[in-house]
Amino acid sequence: MTSERSSRFIKVKGIVQGVGFRPFIFNLAEKFSLTGWVRNSSSGVEITVSGDAIGLDSFISEIRSAPPPLAHIDSLIATNVPWQEFAGFVIQTSLQENGARVPISPDMSICPDCQRELFDQADRRHRYPFINCTNCGPRFSIIKDIPYDRPKTTMAGFELCSNCRAEYENPRDRRFHAQPVACNECGPKVWFSVKCGTVSEKDEAITQTRAWLRAGKIVAIKGLGGFHLACDASNVQAVNALRERKKRSDKPFALMAFSVKIIRRYCEVSPEEEALLTSPQHPIVLLRQKYETNIAPEAAPGQNHLGFMLPYTPLHLLVLEPGEGYPDIFVMTSGNLSEEPVAYLDEEASRRLDPIADGFLMNDRPIHMRVDDSVARVCSGVPYLIRRSRGYAPQPITLPIPTRQILACGAELKNTFTLSVGQQAYVSHHIGDMENYETLSSFESGIEHYKNLFRITPEIIAADLHPDYLSSRYAMELAQRTALPIIRVQHHHAHMAACLADNGWDSTDPVIGLTFDGTGLGTDGVIWGGEVLVGGYSGFERRFHLSELPLPGGDASIRHPSRIALAYLAACGLDADTNLPPMQSLCSEERTILRSQIEHRINTPLTTSMGRLFDAVSALVGVRQTATYEGQAAIELENICDQQENAPYNIPIEKDVMLVRPLLEQILRDWSAGVANSTISARFHNGLAHLALEVCKQIRRNTSINTVALSGGVWQNMTLLAKTLALLNREGFTPLIHRQVPTNDGGISLGQVMIAHYQINQ
Ligand code: ZN
Ligand code: ZN
Ligand code: FE
């Protein structure tokens, strides 16, 4: 060794605790013959190493290039320090400081090493349903408090056996300081029960679960962040029974299969989709369904995409392991009644799920935080999140600028909240639709948990403009109680800001916001949703919007596309033809009541919603008249879209209004002429894409703004998104779409944080 010997001090920030970072450093130091120490600190990991320069450089570059699978390095700073002599390399005990803030790893799917051991007869954890290591397993869902140590997790009650302890204490072991480490000897156990009586335990419980699933029964399975309801997805009776008992009429069920190979029997899986399915997060991935499969059609009625996930815990692998005559695909839907949050506590689950499930696969590892499965799809080769939850939350999103400590309460549907500090935004896991007491209380307890875990004391509160959202009411009461400033944020402004923050936009330059959405309260009292904004975090101007049309029954109308269609037609003076499908679906009495409701403006707010326009068109051509979940009519309209049809409907613009009436006229004309619905759907989608391009061009002409943020629930429509992106790119615009948070209302709280920060600092 001719190279010079020196010492360096290294600080690493990011998700570097509870993910096997210190043993990784320990082994890396040994590899390059370095001496010194590593320890956790208040803000990450600190390292001091001594050795020759080549070894030191390789050591640092390998930390950057090949960190442990669950680690996420935000920054690494290495400085030269005076030479220090060490006897060897040691892992020091944690520095514990008050006010410490360290990101917590999300729950991660079982790693390949653990999966191999699970099915290895020679391994001492062979078929142990809770096998895990530093690279995988539960994290966020079992943590009660920080620092992340076993006594502060729900594993506290399980004392390590001598074998597990030896692994836990050995820095050369994959299970060094893996807090949830356990085995058959000392860890949590499973049992199978019916009507509150235990029938079988351990491996027998798994065998029994499999036998019941095979026989077409519904089994509630306690998993990582809550309960699933499972049944054989190819068994029509089982799927129908589940639908009936769950009171969820049409919303598609999530599916689980043992391997990508099996999923390929049912869906097209691109390499990018495979990468997403097998990523450490293991989200539900929406995949294009193949024709003629044996999936019960009731599993996902009216869909041409299926939501599939791979088993993400050892327990799921054991339940799904392929076998002779054993089903290969399973419904794995969240364990709740429709609208309620997913059950996660044992007693609560047995009570709430008893009417639905025939049997229960239980275990005694408590879940501290309920976490739903995440949902994603692939858009132009990269992940596009529909629901950001398990595997993603609570990993912070890096904000483009440092903010004060802000609590943003989000919207009403698909609620998430965000707590921010500095450049970190802790966007919560999916809370759900804030329509009942259960969801509200899980929202409230979630906020308290995050405040405590991440040591955030909000100085500012942000909430939606809508006074009746439960999240807004919570925010107003909190502001009153604490005398903290509250910033009310217009819904679509929040969408636009969320998209900007999602893309790391750190500029005050204005952009164009194509916020095509369901509904949100506008600054003028009208229900907005088809808005073209110009602005940024600090403010916006509404440049274009769809025609204002009557929405009979307000928000309740999302269940009745036929009524929306009739109201729109009536308002445009196009309701003469009683043969139209929405007219046919309503009896004459209903039509009369509806007309007088519209005429006298009784509970009929005006709306410019793009989502409702989709509903109206879907009903108009007879695709769907009543919906059982938000967006159903629009999804089914998209699903029939003829991908070969390129002609667009013309949607004229008059001053600042994008006119709906001429659009409806063209649709009616095509419909009367017998043009196929698939063609009408395509022309509608094409028309909107061209409209989006046209408004952007008009704005660019006057302002030279070139950046376009696409946000709002309507952009979950991949057909419209692809067509719009193609046109914008062709004309030299720079479109920004969501990457880290959903384009739907799940992203709202992130946008609220940025807007509140700018408002308070103005
Ligand atoms: Zn593992
Ligand atoms: Zn053990
Ligand atoms: Fe929205």
Side-chain angles (χ1 to χ4, degrees), residues 290-443:
K290 287 183 176 169
Y291 296 103
E292 291 178 28
T293 64
N294 63 340
I295 289 185
E298 294 76 6
Q303 306 286 322
N304 56 16
H305 281 71
L306 296 173
F308 259 111
M309 62 183 147
L310 291 170
Y312 53 86
T313 71
L315 182 67
H316 291 126
L317 283 167
L318 294 172
V319 171
L320 266 70
E321 191 188 2
E324 186 69 32
Y326 191 59
D328 63 354
I329 41 162
F330 296 85
V331 167
M332 212 42 93
T333 184
S334 41
N336 57 358
L337 270 172
S338 171
E339 318 292 325
E340 286 180 3
V342 59
Y344 72 107
L345 300 170
D346 294 357
E347 262 174 53
E348 176 211 8
S350 334
R351 179 172 44 79
R352 278 169 50 191
L353 302 183
D354 197 56
I356 310 176
D358 298 308
F360 286 79
L361 180 58
M362 301 293 292
N363 70 70
D364 54 355
R365 185 175 73 194
I367 298 169
H368 187 69
M369 243 306 111
R370 163 183 83 83
V371 190
D372 291 81
D373 293 320
S374 293
V375 184
R377 65 193 310 163
V378 169
C379 171
S380 11
V382 287
Y384 193 59
L385 289 172
I386 309 290
R387 183 202 288 160
R388 182 184 182 273
S389 207
R390 173 182 53 75
Y392 298 93
Q395 173 156 348
I397 285 170
T398 305
L399 293 171
I401 49 149
T403 66
R404 304 263 292 274
Q405 303 195 31
I406 301 170
L407 165 64
C409 296
E412 174 92 334
L413 299 176
K414 304 179 178 73
N415 178 278
T416 65
F417 60 83
T418 296
L419 280 154
S420 75
V421 56
Q423 263 182 281
Q424 287 176 329
Y426 294 89
V427 180
S428 78
H429 54 288
H430 170 77
I431 301 292
D433 296 350
M434 301 265 284
E435 296 173 322
N436 52 48
Y437 173 76
E438 280 77 15
T439 321
L440 177 65
S441 68
S442 89
F443 168 83

Side-chain angles (χ1 to χ4, degrees), residues 101-358:
R101 183 174 302 114
V102 182
I104 287 169
S105 168
D107 300 296
M108 286 300 177
S109 66
I110 181 168
C111 73
D113 288 330
C114 286
Q115 186 161 346
R116 191 176 31 75
E117 289 172 353
L118 180 69
F119 293 111
D120 176 3
Q121 287 197 16
D123 194 274
R124 75 180 188 90
R125 290 192 182 83
H126 178 232
R127 298 188 62 80
Y128 179 57
F130 302 98
I131 186 170
N132 68 82
C133 72
T134 29
N135 300 329
C136 74
R139 295 287 186 279
F140 175 60
S141 63
I142 61 164
I143 294 174
K144 295 169 152 177
D145 200 358
I146 52 165
Y148 172 53
D149 276 326
R150 193 167 173 112
K152 295 198 167 161
T153 71
T154 63
M155 287 298 291
F158 300 95
E159 183 144 3
L160 290 166
C161 69
S162 58
N163 281 329
C164 285
R165 178 160 295 282
E167 293 168 316
Y168 181 86
E169 286 171 353
N170 176 7
R172 285 179 190 81
D173 195 281
R174 207 174 83 243
R175 297 197 165 85
F176 176 74
H177 280 203
Q179 305 303 345
V181 73
C183 74
N184 247 317
E185 233 10 52
C186 64
K189 296 188 172 35
V190 293
W191 66 90
F192 187 84
S193 72
V194 282
K195 299 283 168 204
C196 301
T198 301
V199 188
S200 54
E201 290 176 326
K202 295 191 175 177
D203 220 25
E204 247 176 71
I206 306 273
T207 311
Q208 187 152 19
T209 302
R210 291 170 60 94
W212 280 48
L213 288 171
R214 184 180 186 153
K217 307 250 195 224
I218 296 164
V219 181
I221 299 175
K222 182 181 174 188
L224 193 58
F227 280 73
H228 278 136
L229 288 161
C231 73
D232 175 359
S234 56
N235 184 321
V236 178
Q237 286 86 11
V239 175
N240 275 338
L242 178 54
R243 233 174 231 297
E244 205 139 288
R245 295 186 208 166
K246 219 185 155 203
K247 300 189 171 67
R248 171 152 133 168
S249 43
D250 290 321
K251 210 167 181 179
F253 287 142
L255 303 167
M256 194 184 263
F258 189 78
S259 64
V260 176
K261 200 176 138 203
I262 295 173
I263 296 176
R264 280 222 165 84
R265 290 178 200 152
Y266 300 92
C267 291
E268 311 288 348
V269 185
S270 70
E272 292 84 6
E273 286 163 342
E274 177 167 5
L276 187 54
L277 279 166
T278 57
S279 68
Q281 290 82 12
H282 273 44
I284 296 166
V285 180
L286 301 183
L287 302 165
R288 177 165 285 277
Q289 189 174 2
K290 287 183 176 169
Y291 296 103
E292 291 178 28
T293 64
N294 63 340
I295 289 185
E298 294 76 6
Q303 306 286 322
N304 56 16
H305 281 71
L306 296 173
F308 259 111
M309 62 183 147
L310 291 170
Y312 53 86
T313 71
L315 182 67
H316 291 126
L317 283 167
L318 294 172
V319 171
L320 266 70
E321 191 188 2
E324 186 69 32
Y326 191 59
D328 63 354
I329 41 162
F330 296 85
V331 167
M332 212 42 93
T333 184
S334 41
N336 57 358
L337 270 172
S338 171
E339 318 292 325
E340 286 180 3
V342 59
Y344 72 107
L345 300 170
D346 294 357
E347 262 174 53
E348 176 211 8
S350 334
R351 179 172 44 79
R352 278 169 50 191
L353 302 183
D354 197 56
I356 310 176
D358 298 308

Side-chain angles (χ1 to χ4, degrees), residues 383-537:
Y384 193 59
L385 289 172
I386 309 290
R387 183 202 288 160
R388 182 184 182 273
S389 207
R390 173 182 53 75
Y392 298 93
Q395 173 156 348
I397 285 170
T398 305
L399 293 171
I401 49 149
T403 66
R404 304 263 292 274
Q405 303 195 31
I406 301 170
L407 165 64
C409 296
E412 174 92 334
L413 299 176
K414 304 179 178 73
N415 178 278
T416 65
F417 60 83
T418 296
L419 280 154
S420 75
V421 56
Q423 263 182 281
Q424 287 176 329
Y426 294 89
V427 180
S428 78
H429 54 288
H430 170 77
I431 301 292
D433 296 350
M434 301 265 284
E435 296 173 322
N436 52 48
Y437 173 76
E438 280 77 15
T439 321
L440 177 65
S441 68
S442 89
F443 168 83
E444 291 178 353
S445 62
I447 289 175
E448 291 310 313
H449 192 49
Y450 276 65
K451 272 164 62 181
N452 179 47
L453 283 185
F454 305 115
R455 303 291 191 252
I456 294 174
T457 314
E459 307 161 280
I460 302 159
I461 303 163
D464 195 275
L465 209 54
H466 202 305
D468 296 334
Y469 285 180
L470 289 182
S471 58
S472 304
R473 285 197 204 162
Y474 167 88
M476 286 186 282
E477 280 165 26
L478 181 66
Q480 209 155 44
R481 208 169 57 232
T482 56
L484 288 174
I486 179 167
I487 306 289
R488 305 296 292 278
V489 183
Q490 200 281 321
H491 189 90
H492 303 99
H493 187 203
H495 268 304
M496 178 168 77
C499 184
L500 292 178
D502 195 333
N503 285 277
W505 185 262
D506 62 356
S507 152
T508 50
D509 294 345
V511 303
I512 301 166
L514 287 178
T515 49
F516 290 179
D517 198 27
T519 54
L521 186 61
T523 51
D524 57 358
V526 168
I527 298 174
W528 291 4
E531 315 305 308
V532 183
L533 312 179
V534 174
Y537 301 124

Side-chain angles (χ1 to χ4, degrees), residues 533-550:
L533 312 179
V534 174
Y537 301 124
S538 51
F540 73 97
E541 194 190 322
R542 186 184 186 214
R543 286 297 299 275
F544 297 100
H545 58 84
L546 286 174
S547 308
E548 291 181 354
L549 291 164

